[in-house]
Amino acid sequence: MVGATGYGGQELVRLLARHPGAQLIAALGSSQQDQPRTLPGLARIWDGEVTAYSPEALADCDIVFLSTPEAFAATSAVDLLARGHRVIDLSGAFRLRDAALRAKFYPATPDPLPAGTVYSLPEFDAAQVPAARLVSCPGCYPTAAMLSLLPLSRAGLLQGDAIVDAKSGISGAGKGASERTHFSENHGSVAAYGLFGHRHTPEMEQALGMPVTFTPHLVPLDRGILATTYARLAPGVTAAQVGEAYQAAYAHAFFVRLAGDRLPEIKHVAHTNFCDIGWRVDAATGRLIVVAVLDNLLKGAAGQAVQQFNLLCGFPDQEGLL
Amino acid sequence: MVGATGYGGQELVRLLARHPGAQLIAALGSSQQDQPRTLPGLARIWDGEVTAYSPEALADCDIVFLSTPEAFAATSAVDLLARGHRVIDLSGAFRLRDAALRAKFYPATPDPLPAGTVYSLPEFDAAQVPAARLVSCPGCYPTAAMLSLLPLSRAGLLQGDAIVDAKSGISGAGKGASERTHFSENHGSVAAYGLFGHRHTPEMEQALGMPVTFTPHLVPLDRGILATTYARLAPGVTAAQVGEAYQAAYAHAFFVRLAGDRLPEIKHVAHTNFCDIGWRVDAATGRLIVVAVLDNLLKGAAGQAVQQFNLLCGFPDQEGLL
Amino acid sequence: MVGATGYGGQELVRLLARHPGAQLIAALGSSQQDQPRTLPGLARIWDGEVTAYSPEALADCDIVFLSTPEAFAATSAVDLLARGHRVIDLSGAFRLRDAALRAKFYPATPDPLPAGTVYSLPEFDAAQVPAARLVSCPGCYPTAAMLSLLPLSRAGLLQGDAIVDAKSGISGAGKGASERTHFSENHGSVAAYGLFGHRHTPEMEQALGMPVTFTPHLVPLDRGILATTYARLAPGVTAAQVGEAYQAAYAHAFFVRLAGDRLPEIKHVAHTNFCDIGWRVDAATGRLIVVAVLDNLLKGAAGQAVQQFNLLCGFPDQEGLL
Amino acid sequence: MVGATGYGGQELVRLLARHPGAQLIAALGSSQQDQPRTLPGLARIWDGEVTAYSPEALADCDIVFLSTPEAFAATSAVDLLARGHRVIDLSGAFRLRDAALRAKFYPATPDPLPAGTVYSLPEFDAAQVPAARLVSCPGCYPTAAMLSLLPLSRAGLLQGDAIVDAKSGISGAGKGASERTHFSENHGSVAAYGLFGHRHTPEMEQALGMPVTFTPHLVPLDRGILATTYARLAPGVTAAQVGEAYQAAYAHAFFVRLAGDRLPEIKHVAHTNFCDIGWRVDAATGRLIVVAVLDNLLKGAAGQAVQQFNLLCGFPDQEGLL
């Protein structure tokens, strides 16, 4: 896999090292200049060295995971596909179908997308994954938004637009050291960012087929996202129908847990691959509020990528993820 | 003052002890059974003892602050008014004008409200405060929502309803020890609560004159609220008009700071009486997002109460608050 | 197992539910009055109900884990032993050999200790565990202190006394709601407690055979202990000998990782069963500083108990713990 | 003042802007290349711009505060003294009397120290400050250690060496962005650093006149230090004598509060200039433990510097600090 020193990348190394059906052949950095380094937190789990990127080091890999910046993924994925690898990409490079939007948000990505590119959540449209050459994983925020609304939007239960107000831990800002990621700038604080301009907005709109206003916030914790989504039910839709749609959509989704009386909290999903979902309907106004929580490094990144790997290889959904 | 051991109450003691125009005659608990106790964090600032509640201990107070549960405030305020005191109430007991809503959310409050009751934010309608007998302070969440939207709603710039998605530190849940306030339940977590049912919703709707969907969240910090508010501009309203409305409304409001390019963050207002406000307009859709931050214990409680005190006494707005 | 709703207890349920060699027959509370409840964070991992304590509910268990207050453990362990169960006790009830000290710190514990009682760290004296009837697990702080110093004290490399300055996350204070465990009392703060009087002091002195000054602190995080231990090398002992003693002691200890250049940090062991140990020697003065980190709920409690379980059953050390 | 954008520097700007006896003439960066910038958190308190360093911009300042890296302070202080300014230096450049130690830890500092250099804590030896040309402020950790032990060491109540185990918030690591100050590296974690090698060790030894083992730790909070100090009483010294020595030393020290039954916690001193001190004596062994807490940015830096300013100018100790 490539990008082993980032926060998501380290989780992926941890998962692959313990996956009974995977053999982690190489863990590389996302630069050809990276010095070899170990991952002290993973000692005894994975005692290898992360080395500089080179496609040759991946020669024996059937499947290559890319957990890298999108510009790097955009070019290396094409190269790796040409070399015959299948690729699971965690970056945003291949997520948008619309060429104009892709050119705006991911300018390094080739047009058209490589043949065999599939953008898919394991809980929806999984059937198309086994034949994919390049699996593009949804972003952490879109994963939360899609798991929150897809069962309803696909069933035609919604109208109008949606607002996704998301609260994310700081690991979501990446491992780069900056004023934005400094401890003292975030401890005891909350900050909104990317209003009306975050690149996850078009991804959500593409998946949900409705206009989305998306506002991410940084909250002072390490791992986890809580997304509060506001939507409106189509005329005549009842709370019972909402519940049935969720039950039907996730009847066989091991990693989606529908919360009952208690609303979801990040605490219950941090360090797991679960996404917990709760909701409330205001019958008088048709307003719907959905609360979804997941670990941005697992269900929002490395864990979901392993689910894709399981789909590609025919393993059970949970394999290596419990 | 009454309610000196709570988190907001301790801040009020601190402010009053240092206020050059105030003499803190008594700091009482909100029960007649409270044992005398000191406030170790305030040593050298205020070295008195918090004693049990009795109206007699307040006999020499011109103005009595109530920082207590609302059931206690509902009955003691009436008693104190009858004894000739003026009262500044930080609880919710006297906030709602509508008798039916009040009966639902604050059943201990008398009907009708006492003569001379004024519900007011110091930044709006301050002219009515000096003549008040009972000043009812807005709640911490409504303060954020009102400061975010009143300049626009009063200017007729909005249409439809509003969504207020608020993130609050745990001190907002009060000093009572419970599973909800346990450190380990909140560290590394975020939780939504009170969906469609929080009593601050009718308070916001009363103040703003529009339907409000309000969702509070607990985030893992001690002090501060960040409220993200979503509204729609009326047809033809421009972003420039929005900016002008804010500038006009807060031209003389010392404690409201309009953020420029940088969005507000809790870090900048914690331990101060400031409310920082920033906003963005999406011209294509008429969507408005407002981000407001304040310290729930100061601008959302004790600091705002001191502003009311300054209004009652004719002191400058900042007196005792810098 | 008994005590399933506490923080350590929930971790134990999680571990046992996933342990390939264990069957979790019953998860009980530590009171006969407990109402049945589920553990929402463990849904899909363990979907049972925690029910009230009764020895009959444990009838089919070969081995019973007690993760309860020590007074409860003291009496129920004796009862369970009489019923033929083997017991792994995570409380302090059976840790002290000296009857007078035990009477002082654990007055509910019977004297003499039940036959077949073994107090043991899995990394030391493991050979005596398989024959035990009652395994008494070291406390979370003593585990850190013992893993820090036992390789040296047993090799005769130390002289004088030791100081153990420990920093613990708030989950170590238990799940009970109190002012001490309130979020706002701990966020942004650190507190020392139990100076010269903590019951883990005699446990450390018993294990290490030297006087110990032990000071625990609460630091604002959920899970983890970092113990900084200060000792003196015996005359003539070199830094090299210290390193060799650690290497020898832990050559086969999977869950003890000797840190190299980088000092241990809680981050690397939280949510794992590892204990990372680093040290520095000041050759001029013979001063030694050891830094050890572990997760108090795993290596300091539930994880260590599973290691004992593996010893009792003849499973490999890591079974169910990766 | 110089160094206005650092965490301590911003606190100093805040204090000086509000100090009734001070006029903040210029707030500069510590580089001649700094771009002008505002301090958004201080809007309405201080609305000036921080500009690039130039000695000319300070021409009208009687007293110049340096809150800069020590290499910068070492050279600019000499220049400013030559221009006739008096200087209050918060860096380490002028703290060590011993030339060899200074050469090792602060190589940029001139030898000998400038005439009129005084290193002093406001609570001790304050009489020498008014005549000083250059006041060198103790470091944040040494301040805690000196306030903990000086009353005892000067009274001859101690013997042997001392161990200072300090826990500091991350703002103590400075505003520079690095992996060490990244939020995700510190949240949920504790790390020790600088074992046997921190430059505050010789400063403590110089002040206390005894060998010191000093171990700093980073704990996941923003502001505050808790120092746990271990020492031994000289033969025959009683706990009562210890208490009397503290009472005598701090009878007139407004900003030192001797805790009673309750041990000090950072929470009580964060955002204040207080240092709270508590202690326990084990009569049987003569062991002493002292717990001291302070805000590293105020009592450990900017607040203490304002105390020095008050001494230089003849203002009361508390002026501008309440």
Side-chain angles (χ1 to χ4, degrees):
Chain A
M1 59 82 63
V2 184
T5 61
Y7 290 131
Q10 291 190 44
E11 287 300 313
L12 192 51
V13 170
R14 181 193 305 270
L15 291 173
L16 292 175
R18 295 165 51 192
H19 193 295
Q23 185 190 356
L24 179 55
I25 293 174
L28 310 181
S30 49
S31 157
Q32 300 188 358
Q33 278 73 50
D34 282 352
Q35 295 300 311
R37 50 167 293 192
T38 58
L39 299 175
L42 294 185
R44 299 272 155 97
I45 303 295
W46 183 78
D47 285 308
E49 276 199 336
V50 181
T51 52
Y53 179 76
S54 82
E56 290 74 21
L58 301 165
D60 294 335
C61 301
D62 292 328
I63 297 174
V64 177
F65 293 81
L66 297 178
S67 178
T68 73
E70 44 269 336
F72 182 91
T75 53
S76 61
V78 174
D79 177 42
L80 291 163
L81 290 168
R83 290 167 182 261
H85 301 283
R86 290 202 289 179
V87 173
I88 298 175
D89 178 31
L90 289 79
S91 87
F94 301 96
R95 289 179 189 153
L96 297 182
R97 277 195 307 268
D98 183 277
L101 287 170
R102 205 166 57 234
K104 176 179 175 189
F105 288 103
Y106 304 102
T109 304
D111 184 44
L113 292 179
T117 298
V118 168
Y119 168 87
S120 165
L121 211 55
E123 284 76 16
F124 293 89
D125 315 310
Q128 58 184 319
V129 172
R133 301 300 306 167
L134 166 60
V135 181
S136 171
C137 299
C140 53
Y141 290 125
T143 295
M146 291 158 71
L147 291 174
S148 293
L149 289 189
L150 269 182
L152 311 185
S153 64
R154 293 203 173 180
L157 304 186
L158 304 179
Q159 65 174 335
D161 62 346
I163 290 173
V164 179
D165 188 286
K167 299 86 178 161
S168 170
I170 313 297
S171 66
K175 203 176 176 181
S178 68
E179 183 172 354
R180 182 64 277 168
T181 58
H182 193 294
F183 184 90
S184 296
E185 299 296 317
N186 293 286
H187 180 260
S189 198
V190 176
Y193 68 100
L195 275 63
F196 293 125
H198 197 284
R199 60 192 174 183
H200 282 177
T201 303
E203 186 182 345
M204 293 179 192
E205 293 182 328
Q206 165 184 291
L208 296 171
M210 63 199 298
V212 174
T213 300
F214 166 55
T215 310
H217 301 74
L218 289 178
V219 290
L221 54 92
D222 182 21
R223 297 167 68 139
I225 288 175
L226 184 146
T228 313
T229 298
Y230 302 86
R232 283 189 191 280
L233 300 184
V237 173
T238 65
Q241 286 174 279
V242 171
E244 288 156 12
Y246 279 122
Q247 296 289 349
Y250 297 129
H252 304 293
F254 183 84
F255 288 115
V256 178
R257 301 186 297 195
L258 299 179
D261 294 340
R262 189 168 177 170
L263 287 169
E265 305 184 22
I266 286 175
K267 180 180 174 67
H268 290 140
V269 297
H271 297 275
T272 82
N273 197 49
F274 289 111
C275 176
D276 288 1
I277 299 178
W279 66 91
R280 295 285 185 279
V281 169
D282 184 40
T285 61
R287 269 272 177 225
L288 166 76
I289 306 178
V290 188
V291 178
V293 292
L294 52 77
D295 184 317
N296 56 306
L297 300 181
L298 290 173
K299 184 59 181 163
Q304 181 173 159
V306 171
Q307 285 184 276
Q308 310 280 20
F309 172 81
N310 288 339
L311 284 168
L312 278 179
C313 301
F315 295 128
D317 194 23
Q318 308 95 297
E319 196 76 4
L321 288 167
L322 289 185
Chain B
M1 60 82 63
V2 184
T5 60
Y7 290 130
Q10 289 190 45
E11 286 300 311
L12 192 51
V13 169
R14 181 193 304 269
L15 290 172
L16 293 174
R18 296 166 50 193
H19 193 294
Q23 186 190 355
L24 179 55
I25 293 174
L28 310 181
S30 50
S31 157
Q32 299 187 359
Q33 277 73 49
D34 282 354
Q35 296 299 312
R37 50 167 293 190
T38 58
L39 299 175
L42 295 184
R44 300 271 157 97
I45 304 295
W46 184 77
D47 285 309
E49 275 198 338
V50 181
T51 53
Y53 179 75
S54 82
E56 292 73 22
L58 302 165
D60 294 336
C61 300
D62 291 329
I63 297 173
V64 176
F65 292 82
L66 296 179
S67 177
T68 73
E70 44 268 337
F72 182 91
T75 53
S76 61
V78 174
D79 178 42
L80 292 164
L81 290 168
R83 291 167 182 261
H85 302 282
R86 291 204 286 180
V87 173
I88 298 175
D89 179 31
L90 287 81
S91 88
F94 301 97
R95 287 177 190 155
L96 296 183
R97 277 196 307 270
D98 183 276
L101 287 170
R102 206 165 58 233
K104 176 179 175 190
F105 287 104
Y106 304 103
T109 304
D111 183 47
L113 293 178
T117 299
V118 168
Y119 168 86
S120 166
L121 211 56
E123 284 74 18
F124 292 90
D125 316 311
Q128 56 184 323
V129 172
R133 302 299 308 167
L134 167 59
V135 181
S136 173
C137 299
C140 54
Y141 290 125
T143 295
M146 291 159 70
L147 290 173
S148 293
L149 288 189
L150 269 181
L152 311 185
S153 63
R154 291 203 174 180
L157 305 185
L158 304 179
Q159 65 175 336
D161 61 348
I163 290 173
V164 179
D165 188 287
K167 299 86 178 161
S168 171
I170 313 295
S171 66
K175 203 178 175 180
S178 68
E179 183 172 354
R180 183 64 277 169
T181 58
H182 193 294
F183 185 89
S184 296
E185 298 296 319
N186 294 285
H187 180 262
S189 197
V190 175
Y193 67 101
L195 274 64
F196 292 125
H198 198 284
R199 60 193 175 184
H200 282 178
T201 304
E203 186 182 344
M204 293 179 191
E205 293 183 329
Q206 165 184 291
L208 297 171
M210 63 199 298
V212 174
T213 299
F214 165 56
T215 309
H217 301 73
L218 290 178
V219 290
L221 53 92
D222 183 21
R223 298 166 67 139
I225 288 174
L226 183 145
T228 312
T229 298
Y230 302 86
R232 282 190 190 279
L233 300 184
V237 173
T238 64
Q241 286 174 281
V242 170
E244 289 156 12
Y246 279 122
Q247 296 287 351
Y250 297 129
H252 305 291
F254 183 85
F255 288 115
V256 178
R257 300 186 298 196
L258 298 178
D261 292 340
R262 187 167 178 170
L263 287 170
E265 304 184 22
I266 286 176
K267 181 179 173 68
H268 291 140
V269 297
H271 297 274
T272 82
N273 197 50
F274 289 111
C275 176
D276 289 1
I277 299 177
W279 66 93
R280 295 287 184 279
V281 169
D282 183 41
T285 60
R287 269 273 175 221
L288 166 76
I289 306 179
V290 188
V291 179
V293 291
L294 52 77
D295 184 318
N296 57 306
L297 299 181
L298 290 174
K299 184 58 181 166
Q304 179 173 159
V306 171
Q307 284 184 277
Q308 309 281 19
F309 173 81
N310 288 339
L311 284 168
L312 277 178
C313 300
F315 295 127
D317 193 24
Q318 309 95 299
E319 195 77 5
L321 286 168
L322 289 184
Chain C
M1 59 83 63
V2 185
T5 61
Y7 290 129
Q10 290 190 44
E11 287 300 313
L12 192 51
V13 170
R14 180 192 306 268
L15 291 173
L16 293 174
R18 295 165 52 193
H19 194 295
Q23 185 190 357
L24 179 55
I25 294 174
L28 310 182
S30 51
S31 158
Q32 300 188 356
Q33 277 73 49
D34 282 353
Q35 295 299 313
R37 51 167 294 191
T38 58
L39 299 175
L42 295 184
R44 299 271 155 98
I45 304 294
W46 184 78
D47 285 308
E49 275 199 337
V50 181
T51 53
Y53 178 76
S54 82
E56 290 74 21
L58 302 165
D60 293 336
C61 301
D62 291 329
I63 296 174
V64 176
F65 293 81
L66 297 178
S67 178
T68 73
E70 44 268 338
F72 182 90
T75 53
S76 61
V78 173
D79 178 42
L80 291 163
L81 290 169
R83 290 167 183 261
H85 302 283
R86 290 203 288 180
V87 174
I88 298 175
D89 179 32
L90 288 81
S91 86
F94 301 96
R95 288 178 189 152
L96 297 182
R97 278 195 306 270
D98 183 277
L101 287 170
R102 205 166 57 234
K104 176 179 175 189
F105 288 103
Y106 304 103
T109 304
D111 183 46
L113 292 178
T117 300
V118 167
Y119 168 87
S120 165
L121 212 54
E123 283 76 15
F124 292 89
D125 315 312
Q128 57 184 322
V129 171
R133 301 300 307 168
L134 167 59
V135 181
S136 171
C137 299
C140 54
Y141 290 126
T143 295
M146 290 157 71
L147 290 173
S148 293
L149 289 190
L150 270 180
L152 311 185
S153 63
R154 292 204 174 179
L157 304 185
L158 304 178
Q159 64 174 336
D161 62 346
I163 290 173
V164 179
D165 187 287
K167 299 86 178 163
S168 171
I170 313 297
S171 66
K175 205 178 175 181
S178 68
E179 183 172 354
R180 182 64 277 166
T181 58
H182 192 294
F183 185 89
S184 296
E185 298 297 317
N186 293 286
H187 179 262
S189 198
V190 175
Y193 68 100
L195 275 63
F196 292 127
H198 197 284
R199 61 192 173 182
H200 282 176
T201 304
E203 186 182 344
M204 293 179 191
E205 293 182 328
Q206 165 185 293
L208 296 170
M210 63 199 299
V212 173
T213 300
F214 165 56
T215 310
H217 301 73
L218 290 178
V219 291
L221 55 92
D222 183 20
R223 297 166 68 139
I225 288 174
L226 184 146
T228 313
T229 298
Y230 302 87
R232 283 189 190 280
L233 300 184
V237 173
T238 65
Q241 287 174 280
V242 170
E244 289 156 13
Y246 280 121
Q247 296 288 352
Y250 297 128
H252 305 291
F254 183 85
F255 288 115
V256 178
R257 301 186 297 197
L258 299 179
D261 293 340
R262 188 167 178 171
L263 287 169
E265 304 183 22
I266 286 176
K267 180 180 175 67
H268 291 140
V269 297
H271 297 274
T272 82
N273 197 50
F274 288 112
C275 176
D276 287 1
I277 299 177
W279 66 92
R280 295 287 185 279
V281 169
D282 184 42
T285 62
R287 269 272 176 222
L288 166 76
I289 306 179
V290 188
V291 178
V293 292
L294 53 77
D295 184 317
N296 56 305
L297 300 181
L298 289 173
K299 184 60 182 164
Q304 181 174 159
V306 171
Q307 286 184 276
Q308 309 281 16
F309 172 81
N310 288 338
L311 284 168
L312 277 178
C313 301
F315 295 127
D317 193 23
Q318 308 95 297
E319 195 77 5
L321 287 167
L322 287 186
Chain D
M1 59 83 63
V2 184
T5 60
Y7 290 129
Q10 289 191 45
E11 286 300 310
L12 193 51
V13 170
R14 181 193 304 269
L15 290 173
L16 293 174
R18 295 165 52 193
H19 193 294
Q23 186 190 355
L24 180 54
I25 293 174
L28 309 182
S30 50
S31 158
Q32 299 187 357
Q33 277 73 48
D34 282 353
Q35 294 301 311
R37 51 168 293 190
T38 58
L39 299 175
L42 295 184
R44 299 271 155 96
I45 303 295
W46 183 77
D47 285 309
E49 275 198 335
V50 180
T51 52
Y53 179 76
S54 82
E56 292 73 22
L58 301 165
D60 294 335
C61 300
D62 292 330
I63 297 173
V64 176
F65 293 82
L66 297 178
S67 178
T68 72
E70 44 269 337
F72 183 90
T75 54
S76 62
V78 173
D79 177 43
L80 292 164
L81 290 169
R83 291 166 183 262
H85 302 283
R86 291 203 288 180
V87 174
I88 298 175
D89 178 32
L90 287 82
S91 86
F94 302 97
R95 288 178 188 153
L96 295 182
R97 276 195 308 269
D98 183 276
L101 286 170
R102 206 165 56 233
K104 175 180 176 190
F105 288 102
Y106 304 103
T109 304
D111 184 44
L113 292 178
T117 299
V118 168
Y119 168 86
S120 165
L121 211 56
E123 284 75 16
F124 292 90
D125 316 311
Q128 58 184 320
V129 172
R133 300 300 307 168
L134 168 58
V135 181
S136 172
C137 299
C140 54
Y141 290 125
T143 295
M146 290 158 71
L147 290 173
S148 293
L149 288 189
L150 269 181
L152 311 185
S153 63
R154 291 202 175 181
L157 304 185
L158 303 179
Q159 65 174 335
D161 62 348
I163 290 173
V164 178
D165 187 287
K167 297 87 179 165
S168 171
I170 313 297
S171 66
K175 203 176 176 181
S178 68
E179 183 173 355
R180 183 63 278 169
T181 59
H182 193 294
F183 185 89
S184 296
E185 298 296 317
N186 293 286
H187 180 262
S189 198
V190 175
Y193 67 100
L195 274 64
F196 292 125
H198 197 284
R199 60 193 175 184
H200 282 177
T201 304
E203 186 182 345
M204 294 179 191
E205 293 183 328
Q206 166 184 291
L208 296 170
M210 63 200 298
V212 173
T213 300
F214 165 55
T215 310
H217 301 74
L218 290 179
V219 291
L221 53 93
D222 182 21
R223 297 166 66 139
I225 289 173
L226 184 145
T228 312
T229 299
Y230 302 85
R232 285 189 188 279
L233 300 184
V237 173
T238 66
Q241 286 174 281
V242 171
E244 289 157 11
Y246 280 122
Q247 296 288 350
Y250 297 129
H252 305 291
F254 183 85
F255 288 115
V256 178
R257 301 186 297 197
L258 299 178
D261 293 340
R262 188 167 177 169
L263 286 170
E265 304 183 23
I266 286 176
K267 181 179 173 68
H268 291 140
V269 298
H271 297 274
T272 83
N273 197 50
F274 289 111
C275 176
D276 288 1
I277 299 176
W279 67 91
R280 296 286 185 279
V281 170
D282 184 42
T285 61
R287 269 273 177 221
L288 166 76
I289 307 178
V290 188
V291 178
V293 291
L294 53 78
D295 185 317
N296 57 306
L297 300 181
L298 290 173
K299 184 59 181 164
Q304 181 173 159
V306 171
Q307 284 185 278
Q308 310 280 19
F309 172 81
N310 288 338
L311 284 169
L312 277 179
C313 300
F315 295 127
D317 193 23
Q318 309 95 298
E319 196 76 5
L321 287 167
L322 287 185

